[in-house]
């Protein structure tokens, strides 16, 4: 989905041709896997971080094209809304001092982003959902000037037969509204963790990432407010799931095979089962046919880009053109700081690695339905969520992470060969955050309780503290206005 397109309207013949090529590439992936064509090297790490651009009033600044021209960095790209951009890291072997190395790389990129924004009279800001966002900011006129976004919007609405997108989120408060485009998706900004892994173990890594999703989102939650309403601790989750839903109202839109979902089950024998499910159960949205060799998987990758599992398998290529598999963990928000993001990544990488050592594989720890229920409980209630883990009695997410999962994550990072200082530093930050109970969602709510629902003051206070890259559990702010 990162490439621009030329065609925006499609015929029935376009869809038929695309399905043929998609089916051929899906079969070819199996054949190439059987022949050992996929990269089998050690794990590789990388990140994407979605960023908001703000004006002097801390409101969305629709200037991403000018910002990217000013920043002039190939690792920065457009996002759906004109007030969003995406910053990327290069891939790094998951070993040694990789966490501090990625932290330094992201810090350098972030400082260039801040400088570019400030030169335009704007600010760069990381958050799960921007508290100053208003429905008027999410209109078609605010869409980035790329044909692929307009084509996606048209196809989603056609799939819905013209019915508006219906948003209904019940949390501490209740929000109901209708929208006639996909721009609600732009309200969600995330920190996406990538883990490249050998194909023969990728299904186990995928399953482990599914189990890790609930404790990750509980620890990292940073999106309690949407349009002035206090909803879930991580409101991004229900918002994104409803923002590009192609089904109808009611049960049709709530079924297990939705375009944005937790998935339909564990992978059993191969990660390629996910791509086969894509082919069998999801009609193409963007049937763009290209004259490319099938070994490039152009149509398979494009189709996969219009499906958003919270843990999404991807096929990519190394510099020599050899294909590889990586898992993209999409469940956690951007911010509150870069160091918090690296702490989240350390927990993810370590926990996933340790879960691979479970006898019979990570899927033996709990049923998929339990992992899914854990995820939504954690998104709704954060560190207070009751989670099930190897037993019938639920534990609060806070206690589960501190008592049982952080030791596993430490063991996993040791197995990966990560530097002891990195392990202690980043997992120590996550442990202190969880122990204090102050993640981004908690800090935002405490600030609002002390100062009222002043979204401008809230964003300014967050942004000023974010600049120092001090972890969120050390922030004051609930008792002091910035």
């Amino acid at each position: 989905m990162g490439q621009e397109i030329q065609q925006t309207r499609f015929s029935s013949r376009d869809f038929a041709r695309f399905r043929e090529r998609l089916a051929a590439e899906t079969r070819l992936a199996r054949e190439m896997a059987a022949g050992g064509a996929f990269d089998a090297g050690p794990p590789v790490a990388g990140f994407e971080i979605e960023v908001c651009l703000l004006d002097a009033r801390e409101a969305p600044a629709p200037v991403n094209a000018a910002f990217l021209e000013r920043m002039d960095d190939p690792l920065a790209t457009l996002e759906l809304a004109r007030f969003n951009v995406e910053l990327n890291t290069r891939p790094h072997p998951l070993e040694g001092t990789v966490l501090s190395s990625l932290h330094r790389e992201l810090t350098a990129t972030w400082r260039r982003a801040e400088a570019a924004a400030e030169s335009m009279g704007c600010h760069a800001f990381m958050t799960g959902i921007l508290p100053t966002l208003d429905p008027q900011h999410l209109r078609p006129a605010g869409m980035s000037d790329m044909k692929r976004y307009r084509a996606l919007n048209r196809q989603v609405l056609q799939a819905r037969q013209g019915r508006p997108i219906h948003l209904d989120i019940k949390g501490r408060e209740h929000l109901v509204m209708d929208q006639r485009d996909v721009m609600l998706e732009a309200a969600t900004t995330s920190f996406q963790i990538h883990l490249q892994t050998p194909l023969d173990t990728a299904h186990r890594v995928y399953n482990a990432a599914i189990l890790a999703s609930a404790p990750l989102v509980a620890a990292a939650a940073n999106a309690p407010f949407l349009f002035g309403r206090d909803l879930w601790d991580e409101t991004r989750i229900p918002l994104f799931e409803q923002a590009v839903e192609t089904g109808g109202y009611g049960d049709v839109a709530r079924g297990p095979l939705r375009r944005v979902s937790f998935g339909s089950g564990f992978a059993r024998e191969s990660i390629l089962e996910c791509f086969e499910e894509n082919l069998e159960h999801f009609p193409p949205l963007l049937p763009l046919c290209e004259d490319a060799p099938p070994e490039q998987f152009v149509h398979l990758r494009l189709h996969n880009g219009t499906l958003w599992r919270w843990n999404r398998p991807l096929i990519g290529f190394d510099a020599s053109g050899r294909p590889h598999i990586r898992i993209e963990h999409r469940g956690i928000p951007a911010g509150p700081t870069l160091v918090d993001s690296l702490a989240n990544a350390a927990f993810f990488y370590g926990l996933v690695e340790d879960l691979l050592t479970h006898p019979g594989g990570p899927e033996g720890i709990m049923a998929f339905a339990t992992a899914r229920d854990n995820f939504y409980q954690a998104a709704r209630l954060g560190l207070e969520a009751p989670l099930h883990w190897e037993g019938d009695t639920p534990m609060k997410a806070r206690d589960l992470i501190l008592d049982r999962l952080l030791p596993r994550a430490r063991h996993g990072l040791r197995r990966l060969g990560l530097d002891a200082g990195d392990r202690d530093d980043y997992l120590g930050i996550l442990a202190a955050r969880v122990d204090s109970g102050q993640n981004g969602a908690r800090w935002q709510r405490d600030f609002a309780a002390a100062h009222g629902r002043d979204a401008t003051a809230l964003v300014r206070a967050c942004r000023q503290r974010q600049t120092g890259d001090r972890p969120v559990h050390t922030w004051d702010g609930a008792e002091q206005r910035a």
Side-chain angles (χ1 to χ4, degrees), residues 221-240:
N222 190 36
F225 298 116
L226 174 62
F227 304 148
R229 304 290 177 87
D230 186 349
L231 301 170
W232 293 20
D233 277 38
E234 191 50 41
T235 305
R236 282 175 50 258
I237 303 302
L239 174 57
F240 194 19

Side-chain angles (χ1 to χ4, degrees), residues 412-427:
L413 293 184
R414 284 196 300 271
R415 273 176 48 90
L416 287 166
L418 265 68
D419 175 77
D422 271 16
R423 298 196 309 259
D424 292 344
D425 288 348
Y426 293 105
L427 288 183

Side-chain angles (χ1 to χ4, degrees), residues 107-121:
T107 299
T109 302
W110 181 249
R111 286 174 179 163
R112 291 195 299 274
E114 286 183 311
E118 289 169 5
S119 72
M120 301 168 60

